[in-house]
């Protein structure tokens, strides 16, 4: 009698162009270029795109192939493209659903209805939403860790609602891991909006949706909150209803309250109005307009004002959000932010434990830990729990996060450790082998660093087979009831470990590759760390900021030449998950994942570039890539990168900057600092010209001086300058007048 509910994905404008272009065998890059000409507007149609985008219209008029793509795309636009499953909807029927609706089984064996939620509603069936949130598990786990570590019993239902560190975290946009507030767009809005109360968080939850964003409501809302725009009410009766949202209709409940206050609607009638407005039911809206105006006239509201308010309500009802839903989400967001602000170690340990299944999430949250100055330590067989756990002012990797170490193995390890700590590799193997342990599991633990307390990873790796053989012999001795001559009957039958095999320790690259293999992340270091200064000199953009670099980026140089395309930029990282494919013409092209210390991005290397770059596109080696941001379909943070050029990072030539501008705040710089700066700049060290911008606010002095001798201008040199003159005091300049 219970089933999930089907959803249908339809072909929007860009998707229709891409699917049709692929079917007509146009190169991916060309189709992507056409799709990018469609304006990024919610629910835009191809007909509207042709009206609003002159470049697209010109392309259609001048290129018959593009004209054919658009013609066919308009015929398939809006058609169902695929079936999915509603995120939370469940239908509950009074008798078997096979008697009421057709059913469908997904490729994951989920049973769903073949009618969508609107069809089910027309049949009179009951649809309910059951939404499971990983965040609730994170909150529960964090509270448990806080109780165990600090002896503090937190009641999440009774947190102080005006906690200063929590709102400071929101105002700074430091909300990675905070429910509903961790996207880059939302963090930017938080920094501008500066929330100071729970109702602000509720409003932002309701505002951060495609309709209000594109309608400019967020900017208007921020201007009103900060007092830059006057707050006005169409009628005095609306002030108590709209005061908390600065005179703007934001919530569906406000529409209902206004209908009640101005036109005498009962709350049941107001809900019918809300529904008609939200779903834009034209016939029902005409009936509601007449009823509203009549009611308003009876309550003494002028006809013009009533009509204007009704139109305002109808406009905002399309964006309107359920306030009770937004408030509940805001409260959960506040709880997570409270824990992050006040108990950061326990909170981030819980977040990491919940993210083990997603490498992308792990990369993101481990980076966040490091920005919060929280150490993320390798697992330790005598310290780690199943999940991530607080360890001083750091977080210890959980054993569940180690690849090839299953839950049953972890349970056996923890049970054996509860008796007494492990004293070495042989002791570990003898006490757990045969139950849930094999060579692969031990090798993974060694690569992860979980046995580092017992020796070097290379030495331990060389001993694994001997340790497992010894463990097997002990197990057989136990099974046969044999004991050593001088052992008491209650002592374990343990064979003495053989002398440790001499093995040189793995070099850094091998050690880090092992960590990456079994943990999905580099823990004790990163292959790019030794290239940090070089990456800065090369102007490589961190991958988590790549979506902001595609527009207005300086022309990239890899082989000593300018790309000539301002949309191209440089990134550096390690190539993984390389897959070579063939297009319909039999030409090879490749997809890969590029990783740096900030995150991961998918790379696309099309056939023309792959033919040139096949030898350079290698796994596990640090590379410098010249890339272009692909069409993001509205989500730039997930956009792929198209490879234009690539080479080994270690041998990439550095093109020094033409000059440096150094800001000297004379009021804050001691004479000793100025002497140190003079000593650093005195000997010529490179071709970069130096401009000193000296400023004293106390004496209203300002002067720009150009030095005769040049400097190297490298990232290392610039860091030395900033250590003397202060962060942000050094600016690279590409043209000198």
């Amino acid at each position: 009698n219970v089933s999930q509910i089907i959803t249908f994905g339809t072909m929007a404008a860009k998707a229709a162009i891409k699917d049709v272009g692929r079917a007509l065998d146009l190169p991916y890059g060309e189709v992507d270029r056409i799709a990018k000409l469609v304006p990024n507007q919610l629910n835009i149609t191809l007909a509207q795109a042709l009206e609003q985008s002159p470049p697209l219209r010109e392309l259609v008029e001048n290129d018959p192939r593009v004209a054919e793509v658009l013609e066919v795309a308009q015929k398939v636009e809006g058609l169902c493209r695929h079936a999915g499953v509603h995120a939370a909807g469940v239908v509950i029927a009074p008798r078997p659903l096979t008697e009421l609706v057709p059913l469908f089984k997904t490729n994951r064996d989920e049973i769903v209805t073949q009618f969508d939620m609107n069809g089910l509603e027309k049949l009179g069936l009951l649809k309910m939403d059951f939404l499971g949130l990983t965040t609730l598990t994170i909150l529960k786990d964090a509270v448990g860790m806080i109780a165990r570590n600090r002896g503090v019993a937190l009641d999440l239902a009774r947190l102080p609602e005006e906690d200063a560190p929590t709102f400071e975290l929101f105002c700074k946009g430091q909300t990675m891991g905070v429910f509903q507030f961790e996207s880059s767009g939302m963090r930017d809005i938080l920094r501008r909006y500066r929330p100071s109360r729970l109702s602000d968080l509720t409003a932002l939850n309701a505002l951060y949706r495609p309709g209000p964003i594109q309608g400019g409501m967020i900017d208007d809302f921020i201007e009103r909150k900060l007092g830059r725009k006057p707050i006005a009410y169409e009628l005095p009766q609306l002030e108590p209803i709209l005061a908390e949202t600065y005179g703007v209709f934001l919530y569906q409940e406000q529409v209902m309250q206004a209908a009640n206050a101005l036109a005498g609607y009962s709350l049941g009638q107001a809900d019918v109005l809300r529904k008609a407005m939200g779903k834009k039911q034209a016939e029902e809206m005409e009936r509601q307009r007449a009823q509203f105006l009549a009611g308003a006239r009876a309550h003494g509201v002028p006809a013009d004002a009533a009509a204007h308010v009704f139109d305002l309500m109808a406009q905002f009802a399309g964006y309107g959000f359920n306030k009770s839903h937004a408030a509940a989400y805001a409260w959960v967001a506040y709880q997570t932010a409270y824990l992050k602000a006040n108990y950061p170690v326990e909170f981030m340990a819980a977040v990491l434990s919940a993210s083990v299944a997603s490498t992308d999430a792990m990369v993101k949250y481990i980076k966040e830990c490091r920005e919060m100055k929280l150490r993320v330590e390798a697992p330790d067989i005598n310290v780690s729990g199943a999940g991530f756990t607080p360890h001083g002012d750091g977080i210890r990797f959980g054993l569940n996060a180690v690849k090839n170490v299953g839950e049953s193995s972890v349970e056996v390890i923890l049970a054996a450790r509860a008796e007494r700590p492990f004293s070495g590799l042989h002791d570990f193997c003898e006490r757990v082998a045969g139950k849930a342990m094999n060579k692969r599991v031990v090798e993974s633990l060694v690569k992860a660093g979980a046995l580092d307390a017992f020796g070097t990873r290379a030495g331990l790796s060389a001993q694994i087979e001997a340790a497992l053989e010894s463990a097997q012999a002990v197990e057989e001795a136990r099974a046969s009831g044999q004991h050593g001559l001088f052992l008491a009957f209650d002592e374990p039958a343990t064979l003495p470990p053989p002398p440790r095999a001499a093995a040189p320790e793995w070099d850094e690259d091998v050690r880090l590759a092992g960590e990456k293999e079994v943990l999905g992340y580099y823990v004790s270091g990163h292959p790019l760390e030794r290239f940090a200064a070089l990456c800065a000199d090369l102007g490589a953009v961190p991958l988590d900021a790549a979506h902001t670099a595609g527009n207005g980026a300086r022309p990239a140089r890899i082989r000593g030449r300018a790309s000539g395309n301002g949309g191209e930029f440089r990134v550096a990282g390690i190539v993984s998950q390389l897959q070579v494919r063939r297009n319909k013409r039999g030409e090879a092209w490749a997809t890969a994942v590029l990783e740096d210390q900030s995150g991961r991005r998918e790379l696309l290397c099309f056939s023309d570039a792959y033919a040139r770059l096949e030898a350079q596109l290698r796994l596990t080696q640090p590379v410098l890539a010249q890339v272009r941001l692909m069409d993001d379909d509205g989500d730039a943070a997930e956009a792929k990168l198209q490879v234009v050029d690539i080479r080994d990072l270690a041998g990439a030539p550095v093109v020094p900057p033409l000059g440096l501008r150094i800001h000297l705040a004379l009021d804050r710089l001691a004479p000793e600092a100025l002497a140190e700066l003079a000593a650093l700049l005195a000997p010529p060290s490179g071709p970069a010209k130096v401009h000193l911008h000296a400023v004293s606010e106390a004496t209203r002095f300002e002067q720009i001086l150009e030095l005769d001798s040049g400097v190297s201008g490298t990232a290392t040199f610039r860091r030395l300058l900033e250590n003397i003159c202060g962060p942000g005091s050094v600016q690279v300049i590409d043209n000198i007048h």
Side-chain angles (χ1 to χ4, degrees):
N1 295 10
V2 177
S3 169
Q4 290 181 266
I5 298 171
I6 202 167
T7 58
F8 296 108
T10 57
M11 287 196 193
K14 290 187 179 183
I17 289 174
K18 289 182 177 181
D19 282 358
V20 169
R22 184 169 61 248
L24 295 178
D25 204 22
L26 266 69
Y28 184 95
E30 189 171 343
V31 176
D32 185 63
R33 182 172 58 88
I34 300 169
K36 279 184 174 177
L37 297 176
V38 175
N40 282 322
Q41 178 183 319
L42 187 65
N43 298 326
I44 191 171
T45 65
L46 287 172
Q48 292 169 334
L50 286 167
E51 288 180 11
Q52 298 177 22
S53 174
L56 179 62
R57 195 164 56 246
E58 183 180 344
L59 204 59
V60 169
E61 291 169 355
N62 297 331
D63 191 331
R65 295 181 308 154
V66 177
E68 183 184 11
V69 168
L70 267 291
E71 181 185 353
V72 178
Q74 285 181 288
K75 292 177 180 176
V76 301
E77 183 182 17
L79 295 181
C80 289
R81 188 177 189 275
H82 58 268
V85 181
H86 193 286
V90 173
V91 62
I92 304 174
R95 60 179 191 266
L97 281 164
T98 48
E99 300 175 12
L100 300 170
V101 291
L103 300 178
F104 165 70
K105 184 181 283 189
T106 70
N107 56 6
R108 294 194 296 177
D109 286 341
E110 298 157 313
I111 303 295
V112 299
T113 61
Q114 287 193 39
F115 293 163
D116 65 9
M117 61 181 187
N118 296 319
L120 294 172
E121 183 180 327
K122 290 175 182 176
L123 284 177
L125 290 172
L126 175 65
K127 167 188 168 283
M128 300 186 74
D129 279 4
F130 294 91
L131 184 64
L133 295 178
T134 304
T135 301
L136 299 182
T137 301
I138 291 171
L139 290 171
K140 176 173 174 283
D141 290 348
V143 167
M145 283 188 266
I146 291 165
R148 289 191 297 273
N149 291 357
R150 307 189 186 218
V152 177
L154 279 181
D155 183 351
L156 291 178
R158 291 177 172 78
L159 296 179
E161 295 181 14
E162 298 178 356
D163 182 63
T166 302
F167 280 106
E168 182 182 359
L169 182 143
F170 277 117
C171 291
K172 290 181 177 178
Q174 297 171 342
T175 49
M176 191 65 70
V178 174
F179 181 61
Q180 293 283 301
F181 283 86
E182 67 174 2
S183 71
S184 57
M186 180 61 97
R187 295 201 305 272
D188 176 61
I189 289 168
L190 284 169
R191 287 187 282 265
R192 293 164 52 205
Y193 186 84
R194 302 191 63 78
S196 55
R197 54 185 182 173
L198 266 172
S199 59
D200 288 338
L201 302 181
T202 305
L204 288 177
N205 245 312
L207 279 168
Y208 195 69
R209 306 192 182 272
I213 290 172
Q214 293 191 0
M217 280 183 66
I218 293 180
D219 292 332
D220 182 51
F221 206 79
I222 292 173
E223 292 297 300
R224 289 172 184 243
K225 180 186 188 295
L226 299 179
R228 298 172 187 156
K229 189 172 182 178
I231 299 170
Y233 303 95
E234 298 293 329
L235 292 165
Q237 298 95 312
L238 292 176
E239 184 168 354
I241 297 170
L242 302 181
E244 70 166 314
T245 53
Y246 309 107
V248 174
F249 278 103
L250 179 58
Y251 304 119
Q252 294 173 346
E253 288 88 343
Q254 290 175 317
V255 169
M256 296 169 64
Q257 287 177 291
N260 172 258
L262 298 178
Y265 274 57
S266 70
L267 292 182
Q269 291 171 324
D271 191 49
V272 174
L273 171 65
R274 172 200 63 80
K275 191 172 183 181
M277 286 181 167
K279 296 192 175 182
K280 295 181 171 60
Q281 299 169 349
E283 293 182 11
E284 181 63 28
M285 283 287 288
E286 285 304 314
R287 286 194 292 271
Q288 290 294 335
R289 172 181 279 274
Q291 181 180 342
F292 183 88
L293 294 179
R297 190 165 52 252
H299 283 73
V301 177
D304 290 347
H308 184 57
V309 169
F310 186 89
D311 291 338
L312 271 181
M313 288 162 54
Q315 176 189 347
F316 287 110
Y319 300 152
F321 199 71
N322 183 295
K323 184 184 179 184
S324 56
H325 183 85
Y329 269 27
W331 178 235
V332 175
Y334 182 84
Q335 290 174 329
T336 56
Y338 180 89
L339 293 183
K340 184 176 182 181
N342 294 280
Y343 303 96
V345 179
E346 291 82 0
F347 175 74
M348 291 309 297
V351 168
L352 287 169
S353 293
S355 308
V356 166
S358 169
T359 302
D360 287 344
M362 288 285 289
V363 168
K364 177 173 69 175
Y365 292 129
I366 289 177
K367 176 176 179 282
E368 178 70 4
C369 287
R370 290 180 171 168
E371 289 183 355
M372 294 168 65
K373 305 295 188 289
L374 302 178
R375 297 187 323 277
V376 179
E377 302 170 343
D380 186 312
I381 207 69
N382 276 326
V383 177
S384 293
F388 286 78
T389 50
H391 186 240
D393 60 351
I395 298 170
R396 180 73 71 174
F397 249 88
L399 296 176
N400 276 339
V402 183
K403 189 177 179 182
N404 303 321
V405 182
E407 288 185 18
S408 58
S409 298
V410 173
E411 289 173 5
V412 172
I413 291 168
L414 295 180
R417 190 179 78 195
E419 298 172 5
R420 66 180 187 278
F422 300 109
S423 59
L425 175 63
H426 281 71
D427 178 51
F428 171 70
C429 290
E430 288 167 13
R431 289 166 59 191
V432 299
K435 298 171 184 174
M437 196 62 52
N438 55 39
K439 182 179 178 182
R440 192 181 185 194
V441 172
V442 182
E443 285 177 339
S444 295
L445 290 169
V446 169
K447 289 178 179 178
L451 303 176
D452 282 359
F454 307 145
T456 65
R457 296 183 194 181
L460 292 168
S461 183
Q463 297 179 61
I464 291 174
E465 288 194 17
L468 289 173
E469 288 173 5
S470 172
Q472 185 177 359
V474 169
E475 189 68 24
E476 290 171 355
R478 287 197 189 105
S480 63
Q482 295 177 11
H483 295 274
L485 182 62
F486 300 106
L487 288 178
F489 285 99
D490 59 348
E491 289 180 336
T494 304
L495 300 177
R500 289 186 177 181
E505 178 57 314
W506 293 332
D507 62 31
E508 184 183 36
D509 289 342
V510 174
R511 187 188 81 247
L512 292 176
E515 291 178 3
K516 181 69 167 61
E517 177 190 343
V518 297
L519 294 175
Y521 195 82
Y522 302 104
V523 178
S524 62
H526 196 283
L528 290 183
E529 281 179 355
R530 64 181 185 271
F531 297 109
L534 178 60
C535 288
D537 287 335
L538 292 166
V541 176
L543 289 174
D544 66 348
H547 59 284
T548 65
N551 297 320
R554 287 184 298 159
R557 296 186 181 191
I558 284 192
R559 303 181 191 277
R561 58 179 173 79
S563 70
N565 186 334
E568 295 174 8
F569 55 97
R570 293 175 290 261
V571 292
I574 309 294
V575 176
S576 65
Q577 301 178 28
L578 177 64
Q579 290 186 327
V580 180
R581 308 164 187 264
R582 297 272 173 186
N583 60 24
K584 292 182 180 179
R585 294 185 294 276
E587 300 165 334
W589 64 285
T591 63
V593 172
L594 190 70
E595 304 180 33
D596 69 3
Q597 290 153 294
S598 72
R600 298 151 49 98
R601 285 278 179 162
E602 187 173 346
L603 295 180
L604 294 178
C605 188
F606 295 129
S607 55
D608 55 344
Y610 185 74
R612 290 185 290 108
L613 305 173
E614 179 180 1
Q616 286 77 36
L617 198 62
R618 293 181 295 163
L619 293 171
T620 73
Q621 292 300 312
V623 297
L624 178 71
Q626 183 173 318
V627 296
R628 184 183 296 120
L629 200 67
M630 302 287 290
D631 181 38
D632 55 34
D633 280 337
D635 189 359
E638 300 296 326
K640 300 178 178 67
L641 302 178
Q642 179 188 345
V643 177
V644 178
D645 205 352
I646 198 166
R647 66 165 298 153
D648 287 343
L649 178 59
V654 175
V655 179
L658 294 178
L660 301 178
R661 181 177 288 115
I662 305 172
H663 181 79
L664 299 180
L666 299 177
D667 299 332
R668 296 195 297 271
L669 287 175
E672 298 81 7
L674 290 172
E676 187 180 354
L677 177 65
L680 184 63
L681 296 175
S685 57
K689 293 291 184 182
V690 177
H691 286 188
L692 297 177
H693 182 198
V695 177
S696 170
E697 295 179 4
T699 61
R700 295 186 179 180
F701 169 81
E702 181 175 3
Q703 189 169 356
I704 296 177
L705 306 170
E706 182 178 343
L707 302 189
D708 293 332
S709 60
V711 297
S712 69
T714 64
T716 302
F717 189 83
R718 297 198 301 270
R719 192 159 51 247
L720 292 174
L721 290 172
E722 290 197 344
N723 288 340
I724 299 171
C725 303
S729 59
V730 181
Q731 178 187 359
V732 172
I733 48 180
D734 285 335
N735 51 67
I736 297 178
H737 301 289

